[in-house]
Amino acid sequence: MATMQKRKGHAGVSNDRHTTSCNDHQTSFSKQPTSPATEEDRDDWKGFCEIESDPAFFDVMLRNFGVKGVKVLEVFGLDDELLSMLPCQHIFRQPVYGLIFLFKWIEDDPERQEPSCPEGVWFANQTVGNACASVALLNIVNNVPGIELGGPLEQFKAFTKDFTPALRGDQIGNFEFLKRIHNSFARKMDMLNCDLALKNETHSKKTKVGRTKYDYTSDGIDVSYHFIAFVPIDGNLWKLDGLERQPQNLGRCDSKDWLSLAKPHIESRIMGYEGEQIEFSLLGLARDPMCNLRVSLAENVKDLQGLQQQMDKLEPGWREERFQNLKTEGLLLGPDIAYGLTQDNIDSAELSEEIKGLLLEGDMSSLEETWSSLARGQTHLRANIVEEEQSTRRDDDRAANRRHDYGPFVQKWIQVLARKGVLRELLE
């Protein structure tokens, strides 16, 4: 698979039915263009900002939407040897819910699309420019049974259940909750540049009679990069491209082999542009490893509590004599908020079959040996939980840096360079 790098997904809409007018899109800013955008500016703005294909940004967006138990990570390839490499290994140890592929968009054969959106497949068109990141996310999470979407997305999914893909896309454009989170990444210059691009596009359409869509391949009007989704739904793999009118069924699959079915479709897109050195990106939405880690930690503590009670029965004074030799430093034997472990988590955990057997007929020596093994396992679990928490904090920091508007700093810096006469020398 060709090298994949971060790009912004900013494909426009695919036909005149989807076009947003320039006057509806633009916003009047009361401050200088280089001043930071305010919350009021973002709320009043009718557009959607471009978002880079950075897994941290998508991960933070999902959490801000209210989605729980899903992790977004970058995938560097779908070959077996690449799947074992970090960070992909964390994805493929967990169920994979879908892939988001960023590529230079070109229209696929419409004959491959379904005549209409099948019942059971939630699919939305992209009817607003630059919204493809949010559309791709919704086209995945709204098709995954059992994940917690959060109140706003649950209500939105139920409300749009019987809508056509085009109407769902229109509702996304009007979904203020989602737009506010998407545009939390918008800086003042991003918004102004987007308005300018839309103005130029509108002018281009007026001067090119009969033009109803972007020309992505010939005259350089737009070379938009676009996010699409690959999602397994009810035993079939679906390509959900918001710029296509209907979803595309790529064939039968099961939960284990759908990635291999998606691979040739992704590679065919890459090979088609490889000579032009086009950049691509692939992200995976998977079950958050933290979910299983906390469940495993609760089970570990439950097993240790069971062993401790049985050892107290067999040898009441064992703690004073042997406790220090059983690797107990920092060992959790109850709830701990630092690891997100509650008493309810422990109470709902089940004793392992091995521990159940030991509690019935195990001697003190076998109990101690099992205790030591569980203590070592817990150390590993706690280290992994800390690592995942640090990863989440890094994502938050990365998103915060992306959201910060450096325009005023850059303007001031250039002014100082000009005042000191350095800018002229640099330009010359």
Side-chain angles (χ1 to χ4, degrees):
M1 181 169 287
T3 301
M4 298 181 181
Q5 299 182 10
K6 294 179 180 61
R7 296 295 301 233
K8 291 183 180 180
H10 57 275
V13 292
S14 61
N15 54 55
D16 53 355
R17 173 176 56 84
H18 292 166
T19 301
T20 305
S21 72
C22 183
N23 291 332
D24 289 341
H25 191 287
Q26 288 183 311
T27 301
S28 297
F29 298 114
S30 57
K31 299 180 180 180
Q32 293 295 323
T34 53
S35 63
T38 65
E39 290 299 322
E40 185 179 1
D41 289 336
R42 296 189 183 95
D43 290 344
D44 290 343
W45 191 49
K46 304 304 181 184
F48 279 70
C49 69
E50 298 175 5
I51 295 181
E52 295 88 347
S53 59
D54 190 313
F57 304 159
F58 282 72
D59 199 51
V60 170
M61 284 175 63
L62 279 181
R63 285 191 274 118
N64 291 164
F65 289 158
V67 178
K68 295 183 179 179
V70 179
K71 184 76 172 177
V72 183
L73 292 171
E74 192 160 21
V75 181
F76 297 110
L78 295 176
D79 295 320
D80 292 339
E81 61 270 19
L82 288 172
L83 298 186
S84 64
M85 297 170 59
L86 286 171
C88 301
Q89 63 174 340
H90 293 301
I91 293 179
F92 294 96
R93 289 175 182 169
Q94 311 294 336
V96 187
Y97 300 135
L99 296 174
I100 295 179
F101 180 46
L102 175 72
F103 69 111
K104 180 184 174 184
W105 190 81
I106 185 170
E107 186 174 14
D108 204 349
D109 183 0
E111 296 298 321
R112 298 181 181 179
Q113 301 170 27
E114 295 294 302
S116 61
C117 187
E119 185 177 355
V121 176
W122 195 98
F123 170 65
N125 292 140
Q126 180 191 337
T127 64
V128 180
N130 298 332
C132 55
S134 288
V135 171
L137 285 174
L138 291 186
N139 278 340
I140 293 178
V141 298
N142 282 338
N143 286 298
V144 180
I147 68 170
E148 185 176 345
L149 294 175
L153 288 194
E154 286 282 7
Q155 295 171 14
F156 181 80
K157 180 181 178 181
F159 176 66
T160 59
K161 179 178 181 294
D162 298 321
F163 286 16
T164 64
L167 287 177
R168 286 172 181 159
D170 289 340
Q171 290 303 312
I172 290 175
N174 296 320
F175 190 10
E176 292 299 326
F177 168 78
L178 179 141
K179 188 157 75 75
R180 190 179 307 114
I181 293 171
H182 182 112
N183 283 341
S184 65
F185 290 93
R187 295 166 295 204
K188 178 66 71 66
M189 291 306 298
D190 296 332
M191 298 159 76
L192 292 172
N193 286 333
C194 186
D195 286 346
L196 178 61
L198 185 60
K199 180 179 179 180
N200 292 337
E201 173 204 332
T202 303
H203 176 72
S204 175
K205 287 183 178 180
K206 288 179 179 178
T207 57
K208 291 180 179 288
V209 178
R211 185 187 184 90
T212 59
K213 66 177 66 176
Y214 289 130
D215 185 348
Y216 291 91
T217 60
S218 60
D219 60 8
I221 293 298
D222 198 295
V223 288
S224 291
Y225 286 79
H226 175 57
F227 294 107
I228 66 172
F230 292 88
V231 194
I233 306 171
D234 294 333
N236 290 286
L237 176 62
W238 293 86
K239 187 187 82 169
L240 305 181
D241 181 347
L243 294 186
E244 296 180 351
R245 290 182 176 273
Q246 300 296 342
Q248 186 178 141
N249 189 341
L250 300 181
R252 296 290 299 173
C253 66
D254 60 37
S255 59
K256 295 181 180 179
D257 72 356
W258 74 267
L259 290 169
S260 61
L261 183 58
K263 178 181 175 181
H265 294 278
I266 294 173
E267 288 184 335
S268 66
R269 291 288 185 177
I270 293 174
M271 298 304 294
Y273 295 109
E274 195 166 18
E276 302 178 29
Q277 298 182 338
I278 301 299
E279 297 172 349
F280 300 87
S281 177
L282 187 63
L283 305 178
L285 273 67
R287 178 176 169 83
D288 188 349
M290 187 68 83
C291 299
N292 287 351
L293 287 172
R294 287 199 170 123
V295 169
S296 297
L297 182 60
E299 294 172 346
N300 177 279
V301 171
K302 184 87 167 187
D303 285 348
L304 284 169
Q305 288 179 347
L307 285 179
Q308 181 175 271
Q309 293 172 6
Q310 183 66 10
M311 292 164 78
D312 285 342
K313 292 179 183 179
L314 293 178
E315 194 173 320
W318 74 275
R319 298 195 195 189
E320 290 76 13
E321 298 177 7
R322 311 182 191 183
F323 208 68
Q324 298 302 319
N325 298 325
L326 292 177
K327 300 183 182 297
T328 59
E329 184 177 356
L331 196 65
L332 298 184
L333 296 173
D336 192 312
I337 192 64
Y339 294 96
L341 183 65
T342 66
Q343 187 60 51
D344 288 341
N345 298 146
I346 299 173
D347 292 340
S348 61
E350 294 287 339
L351 285 172
S352 67
E353 294 301 319
E354 179 188 6
I355 298 302
K356 289 179 181 179
L358 284 172
L359 297 184
L360 290 176
E361 53 188 36
D363 56 23
M364 196 64 183
S365 177
S366 59
L367 293 175
E368 287 182 351
E369 182 179 349
T370 304
W371 177 287
S372 296
S373 176
L374 287 173
R376 290 191 298 270
Q378 187 187 113
T379 299
H380 183 66
L381 285 171
R382 287 189 282 116
N384 283 337
I385 289 175
V386 170
E387 181 182 352
E388 289 298 326
E389 288 175 339
Q390 290 174 343
S391 173
T392 298
R393 286 194 292 270
R394 286 194 297 269
D395 286 351
D396 289 337
D397 290 342
R398 190 171 179 84
N401 289 334
R402 171 61 177 82
R403 285 166 167 162
H404 184 74
D405 196 337
Y406 293 92
F409 167 76
V410 173
Q411 182 189 39
K412 189 67 176 178
W413 179 50
I414 292 175
Q415 288 175 346
V416 171
L417 291 176
R419 215 169 35 240
K420 293 182 176 295
V422 177
L423 188 59
R424 182 180 296 276
E425 294 178 6
L426 292 175
L427 291 174
E428 291 174 351

